[in-house]
Amino acid sequence: MRGKVLRQVPFDGIVCMGGLDWWYHNRGHFDFQILRRLARQMPVLYVNSIGVRMPSPGGDPRFIERVGRKLASLKRGLVHVENGFHVFSPVSVPGGAGRLATGWALAPQIRLAARRAGLRRPLLWVHCPVDGGLIGALRPAAVLLQRTDRFEAFPDGDPVVLGRMIADLKARADLVLYCNGELMRAEEGEVRRAALVTHGVDLARFVAAGLAGGPEPAAMVALPRPRAAFIGAIDAHTFDPDLFNQVAGLLPDVTFAMIGGSTLAPGWCPHRNVHFLGRKPYDEIATYMAAADVLLMPWNKSEWIRACNPVKLKEYLAVGRPVVTRDFPALAPFRDLVSVADGAPSFAAAIRQALAEPTDAAIARRRIASEDWDEKAGEVRAAIGELGLVLPRREPRVSAAA
């Protein structure tokens, strides 16, 4: 954390411009996990992602699915999920032209939803890049930028437009939250105040799955051993299909289970020993990890990966299966707990070795014992407190009979 404690400023909760869709994406992500915990003490309104690009029928193999997903979210409107946590899906059109067409209507929608959630003077938490005009229209008590993704490196977005928006957000933000120390150091001097809060893990859930030895998911039971699994989105800006295809070809006796949605072109993987099981609910993810003999992170070498801190690393370690990964900066504190490989031959050899030599899960679990999401939420709460933001004291209710 950098900066002095500011004067006390009253606020009554958080409005988050999310980078994901609560109703669709894996709920292990940073903002979902942290905000659900903060909602135990204050109202939180999570605004589903307004998007950074406009999908096109010709350029997006999942165009129909994306549009259908968006419409399904819109139908839900404002939903009180739990505690003080609310989710809102505004009417908006992604991309530059879409913002021009619907931007005027976005702030009134969010203000109305915020009031219904009990928020009039919120902290504005920004994950998905938004225009400065929207920030001004919402009149927040302070602005927090969640810099856990390098959005300007998103391949389907406009890097010039997104870069300009993010630069403006960094200049406006009272606090910038980073999960990657390298990115935070690179942007030192560009922000007024910064805090490093690395990704956490739902420790009890993932440790329990690794220790349980109970029934495996039906989809995994059908797959012969040995099993190597990747759990997560199979996207071009994170996943390396060329590396993976070469590795799968070098290990024809290993079954590869791919758990997650894919945005790659259909037919990108021709190998018969690779099985695509699709997206699974967050509550089931740990059991899929536990049913694998080795867990994989075949990342590419993009700027997105250099700036990230993958949630699944600590989930993998908590489950307690061997991990084979490509190197990336945020791996540094845990590099001795995993097998790091680069090219396909070394990656395949690392998988062979991991299958032959059992890992000591207890060592990894001790290392991440303090990485639970509850601990991370406490770090974020402390960082917000350093801004001088103060919640109003809630007076106890007096019954009419009294």
Side-chain angles (χ1 to χ4, degrees), residues 50-109:
I50 58 175
V52 297
R53 71 180 180 99
M54 180 63 183
S56 62
D60 189 338
R62 298 197 302 164
F63 172 78
I64 295 176
E65 176 189 341
R66 289 178 186 276
V67 172
R69 190 173 78 213
K70 184 67 173 178
L71 292 174
S73 289
L74 286 175
K75 288 180 181 178
R76 295 178 183 269
L78 176 65
V79 179
H80 177 211
V81 176
E82 62 186 13
N83 299 317
F85 188 75
H86 303 75
V87 176
F88 177 55
S89 300
V91 176
S92 65
V93 179
R99 286 193 180 91
L100 289 175
T102 60
W104 63 271
L106 192 55
Q109 292 180 72

Side-chain angles (χ1 to χ4, degrees), residues 17-53:
M17 301 301 300
L20 303 164
D21 188 311
W22 166 264
W23 304 114
Y24 174 77
H25 287 101
N26 185 317
R27 294 179 185 174
H29 287 280
F30 183 93
D31 42 5
F32 290 161
Q33 291 287 345
I34 297 294
L35 290 169
R36 289 177 71 182
R37 284 163 172 78
L38 295 183
R40 296 168 186 167
Q41 284 84 40
M42 67 187 80
V44 172
L45 175 67
Y46 183 88
V47 181
N48 274 328
S49 175
I50 58 175
V52 297
R53 71 180 180 99

Side-chain angles (χ1 to χ4, degrees), residues 2-17:
R2 296 179 178 86
K4 298 178 181 179
V5 177
L6 306 179
R7 63 182 178 83
Q8 290 194 343
V9 177
F11 83 119
D12 54 12
I14 297 171
V15 170
C16 174
M17 301 301 300

Side-chain angles (χ1 to χ4, degrees), residues 12 138 175 342 348:
D12 54 12
L138 293 177
L175 171 66
D342 190 10

